[in-house]
Amino acid sequence: MMLTKKVGSKICFVGDGGVGKTSLIGRYVYDKFDDRYITTIGTKVSRKEIVLDYPHDNIRFKMDAMIWDIVGQKAFRGLLQEAYFHGARGVIGVCNLTDKKSLESLTDWVKSVKNVVGRVPIVLLANKKDMEEEVQLSEAEIRNMARGLSATYLYTSAKTGENVRKAFNTIGREMIKNQFNLY
Ligand SMILES: Nc1nc2c(ncn2[C@@H]2O[C@H](COP(=O)(O)OP(=O)(O)O)[C@@H](O)[C@H]2O)c(=O)[nH]1
Ligand SMILES: [Mg+2]
Protein backbone atom coordinates (compact mmCIF):
# COMPACT_ATOMS: atom_id res chain seq x y z
CA MET A 1 0.00 0.00 0.00
CA MET A 2 1.12 3.51 -0.83
CA LEU A 3 1.72 5.92 2.04
CA THR A 4 0.03 9.26 1.51
CA LYS A 5 1.56 12.41 2.90
CA LYS A 6 -0.10 15.80 2.82
CA VAL A 7 2.06 18.88 2.44
CA GLY A 8 1.25 22.53 2.08
CA SER A 9 3.16 24.87 -0.15
CA LYS A 10 3.24 28.32 -1.61
CA ILE A 11 4.23 28.82 -5.24
CA CYS A 12 4.85 32.34 -6.54
CA PHE A 13 4.65 33.35 -10.17
CA VAL A 14 7.01 36.07 -11.37
CA GLY A 15 7.61 37.71 -14.73
CA ASP A 16 6.76 40.82 -16.68
CA GLY A 17 3.20 41.86 -17.42
CA GLY A 18 1.72 40.11 -20.43
CA VAL A 19 3.95 37.02 -20.41
CA GLY A 20 1.04 34.74 -19.54
CA LYS A 21 1.19 34.15 -15.77
CA THR A 22 -2.54 34.50 -15.17
CA SER A 23 -3.34 32.46 -18.28
CA LEU A 24 -1.05 29.58 -17.21
CA ILE A 25 -2.63 29.47 -13.76
CA GLY A 26 -6.09 29.67 -15.33
CA ARG A 27 -5.27 26.81 -17.67
CA TYR A 28 -3.99 24.62 -14.84
CA VAL A 29 -6.47 25.41 -12.10
CA TYR A 30 -9.65 25.92 -14.12
CA ASP A 31 -8.65 24.34 -17.45
CA LYS A 32 -9.64 27.34 -19.51
CA PHE A 33 -7.98 29.98 -21.62
CA ASP A 34 -9.31 33.51 -21.86
CA ASP A 35 -8.12 35.42 -24.89
CA ARG A 36 -9.03 38.86 -23.61
CA TYR A 37 -6.35 40.84 -21.83
CA ILE A 38 -7.67 41.83 -18.43
CA THR A 39 -5.45 43.94 -16.21
CA THR A 40 -6.38 43.04 -12.68
CA ILE A 41 -5.34 44.73 -9.46
CA GLY A 42 -3.93 43.21 -6.26
CA THR A 43 -2.78 39.65 -5.73
CA LYS A 44 -4.75 36.58 -6.60
CA VAL A 45 -4.26 33.26 -4.83
CA SER A 46 -5.56 30.06 -6.37
CA ARG A 47 -5.51 26.67 -4.79
CA LYS A 48 -4.98 23.26 -6.32
CA GLU A 49 -3.87 19.85 -5.15
CA ILE A 50 -0.77 18.54 -6.92
CA VAL A 51 -0.43 14.78 -6.59
CA LEU A 52 3.11 13.45 -6.86
CA ASP A 53 4.00 9.76 -6.73
CA TYR A 54 7.32 8.30 -5.62
CA PRO A 55 6.87 4.59 -6.35
CA HIS A 56 10.40 3.67 -5.28
CA ASP A 57 9.77 5.09 -1.83
CA ASN A 58 6.15 4.01 -1.79
CA ILE A 59 4.98 7.54 -1.06
CA ARG A 60 2.33 9.73 -2.61
CA PHE A 61 2.47 13.43 -1.81
CA LYS A 62 -0.72 15.41 -1.91
CA MET A 63 0.48 18.95 -2.15
CA ASP A 64 -2.03 21.63 -1.27
CA ALA A 65 -0.57 24.30 -3.53
CA MET A 66 -1.34 27.95 -2.95
CA ILE A 67 -0.54 29.58 -6.27
CA TRP A 68 0.18 33.31 -6.04
CA ASP A 69 -0.30 35.51 -9.05
CA ILE A 70 1.04 39.05 -9.29
CA VAL A 71 -1.40 41.56 -10.56
CA GLY A 72 -0.93 45.28 -11.03
CA GLN A 73 2.78 44.91 -11.82
CA LYS A 74 3.64 48.58 -11.56
CA ALA A 75 2.65 48.96 -7.93
CA PHE A 76 4.59 45.83 -7.06
CA ARG A 77 7.27 47.29 -4.78
CA GLY A 78 8.65 47.23 -1.24
CA LEU A 79 6.41 45.79 1.42
CA LEU A 80 3.96 44.45 -1.09
CA GLN A 81 6.76 42.45 -2.64
CA GLU A 82 7.83 41.10 0.72
CA ALA A 83 4.32 39.97 1.58
CA TYR A 84 4.00 38.37 -1.82
CA PHE A 85 7.19 36.31 -1.56
CA HIS A 86 7.07 35.60 2.17
CA GLY A 87 6.98 31.84 2.79
CA ALA A 88 7.32 30.87 -0.86
CA ARG A 89 8.65 27.34 -1.35
CA GLY A 90 8.86 27.46 -5.10
CA VAL A 91 8.94 29.98 -7.91
CA ILE A 92 7.71 29.81 -11.47
CA GLY A 93 9.43 32.44 -13.60
CA VAL A 94 7.64 33.11 -16.87
CA CYS A 95 8.91 34.78 -20.03
CA ASN A 96 7.21 35.29 -23.34
CA LEU A 97 8.95 33.72 -26.35
CA THR A 98 7.86 36.64 -28.53
CA ASP A 99 9.40 39.28 -26.23
CA LYS A 100 13.16 39.19 -25.76
CA LYS A 101 13.15 41.61 -22.82
CA SER A 102 10.88 39.38 -20.78
CA LEU A 103 13.64 36.76 -20.48
CA GLU A 104 16.23 39.27 -19.25
CA SER A 105 13.75 40.60 -16.69
CA LEU A 106 13.72 37.25 -14.94
CA THR A 107 17.15 37.99 -13.46
CA ASP A 108 15.69 40.88 -11.44
CA TRP A 109 12.55 39.01 -10.58
CA VAL A 110 14.50 36.12 -9.14
CA LYS A 111 16.79 38.52 -7.27
CA SER A 112 13.72 40.01 -5.59
CA VAL A 113 12.51 36.59 -4.55
CA LYS A 114 15.90 35.62 -3.13
CA ASN A 115 16.03 38.81 -1.07
CA VAL A 116 12.95 37.64 0.77
CA VAL A 117 13.16 33.85 0.94
CA GLY A 118 16.71 32.91 -0.02
CA ARG A 119 17.25 29.94 -2.29
CA VAL A 120 14.12 28.15 -3.45
CA PRO A 121 13.51 25.89 -6.44
CA ILE A 122 12.77 27.75 -9.66
CA VAL A 123 11.19 26.58 -12.88
CA LEU A 124 11.53 28.84 -15.90
CA LEU A 125 8.69 28.75 -18.41
CA ALA A 126 9.18 29.97 -21.96
CA ASN A 127 5.51 30.64 -22.72
CA LYS A 128 3.47 31.29 -25.90
CA LYS A 129 5.11 28.41 -27.71
CA ASP A 130 2.14 28.33 -30.07
CA MET A 131 3.16 31.71 -31.58
CA GLU A 132 5.89 30.09 -33.65
CA GLU A 133 6.15 32.79 -36.29
CA GLU A 134 6.90 35.52 -33.78
CA VAL A 135 9.48 33.79 -31.59
CA GLN A 136 12.41 36.05 -30.66
CA LEU A 137 14.31 33.79 -28.28
CA SER A 138 16.55 30.84 -29.09
CA GLU A 139 16.71 27.75 -26.95
CA ALA A 140 20.37 28.57 -26.18
CA GLU A 141 19.32 31.92 -24.66
CA ILE A 142 16.67 30.25 -22.55
CA ARG A 143 19.00 27.48 -21.47
CA ASN A 144 21.66 30.00 -20.45
CA MET A 145 19.23 32.02 -18.40
CA ALA A 146 17.94 28.85 -16.75
CA ARG A 147 21.48 27.77 -15.94
CA GLY A 148 22.28 31.20 -14.47
CA LEU A 149 19.24 30.98 -12.23
CA SER A 150 19.84 27.30 -11.37
CA ALA A 151 16.42 26.62 -12.78
CA THR A 152 14.95 23.95 -15.00
CA TYR A 153 13.09 25.19 -18.05
CA LEU A 154 10.12 24.15 -20.13
CA TYR A 155 8.35 25.49 -23.20
CA THR A 156 4.68 26.09 -22.51
CA SER A 157 1.52 27.38 -24.09
CA ALA A 158 -1.37 28.52 -21.96
CA LYS A 159 -3.38 28.62 -25.17
CA THR A 160 -2.96 24.98 -26.21
CA GLY A 161 -2.19 23.72 -22.70
CA GLU A 162 1.15 22.26 -23.79
CA ASN A 163 3.35 21.39 -20.80
CA VAL A 164 1.17 23.32 -18.35
CA ARG A 165 0.48 20.37 -16.08
CA LYS A 166 4.11 19.32 -16.41
CA ALA A 167 5.23 22.78 -15.27
CA PHE A 168 3.33 22.44 -11.99
CA ASN A 169 4.43 18.85 -11.50
CA THR A 170 8.03 19.91 -12.09
CA ILE A 171 7.99 22.69 -9.50
CA GLY A 172 6.14 20.33 -7.15
CA ARG A 173 8.83 17.67 -7.49
CA GLU A 174 11.58 20.26 -7.07
CA MET A 175 9.95 21.42 -3.83
CA ILE A 176 9.65 17.84 -2.53
CA LYS A 177 13.30 17.28 -3.43
CA ASN A 178 14.25 20.41 -1.54
CA GLN A 179 12.15 19.63 1.51
CA PHE A 180 12.32 15.84 1.83
CA ASN A 181 15.34 14.86 -0.24
CA LEU A 182 13.23 12.59 -2.46
CA TYR A 183 13.78 12.29 -6.21
N1 LIG B 1 -0.99 32.82 -28.04
C1 LIG B 1 -0.84 32.81 -26.73
N2 LIG B 1 -1.28 33.85 -25.99
C2 LIG B 1 -1.12 33.81 -24.66
C3 LIG B 1 -0.49 32.71 -24.00
N3 LIG B 1 -0.47 32.97 -22.67
C4 LIG B 1 -1.06 34.16 -22.51
N4 LIG B 1 -1.46 34.68 -23.68
C5 LIG B 1 -2.13 35.97 -23.93
O1 LIG B 1 -1.22 36.99 -23.53
C6 LIG B 1 -1.91 38.05 -22.89
C7 LIG B 1 -1.37 38.26 -21.48
O2 LIG B 1 -1.62 37.10 -20.70
P1 LIG B 1 -1.77 37.18 -19.12
O3 LIG B 1 -2.01 35.79 -18.64
O4 LIG B 1 -2.74 38.21 -18.73
O5 LIG B 1 -0.29 37.66 -18.71
P2 LIG B 1 0.22 38.13 -17.27
O6 LIG B 1 0.22 39.62 -17.28
O7 LIG B 1 1.61 37.59 -17.16
O8 LIG B 1 -0.69 37.55 -16.24
C8 LIG B 1 -3.40 37.67 -22.92
O9 LIG B 1 -3.98 38.26 -24.05
C9 LIG B 1 -3.38 36.16 -23.08
O10 LIG B 1 -4.52 35.70 -23.73
C10 LIG B 1 -0.03 31.62 -24.82
O11 LIG B 1 0.56 30.63 -24.36
N5 LIG B 1 -0.22 31.73 -26.17
MG1 LIG C 1 -1.82 38.56 -14.84
Side-chain angles (χ1 to χ4, degrees), residues 97-152:
L97 281 167
T98 72
D99 171 11
K100 223 175 174 69
K101 258 198 343 318
S102 71
L103 180 69
E104 293 159 27
S105 297
L106 287 177
T107 307
D108 282 337
W109 280 111
V110 169
K111 220 176 271 171
S112 306
V113 176
K114 283 192 172 156
N115 282 340
V116 180
V117 290
R119 250 184 92 99
V120 288
I122 301 162
V123 173
L124 191 167
L125 302 184
N127 191 44
K128 307 202 186 182
K129 177 161 186 277
D130 58 284
M131 295 179 75
E132 280 160 44
E133 261 104 82
E134 286 143 79
V135 167
Q136 288 185 11
L137 288 161
S138 69
E139 178 150 22
E141 290 173 291
I142 292 157
R143 195 190 313 116
N144 283 339
M145 178 58 74
R147 192 178 293 145
L149 302 175
S150 305
T152 43

Side-chain angles (χ1 to χ4, degrees), residues 22 69-71:
T22 302
D69 188 13
I70 297 174
V71 272

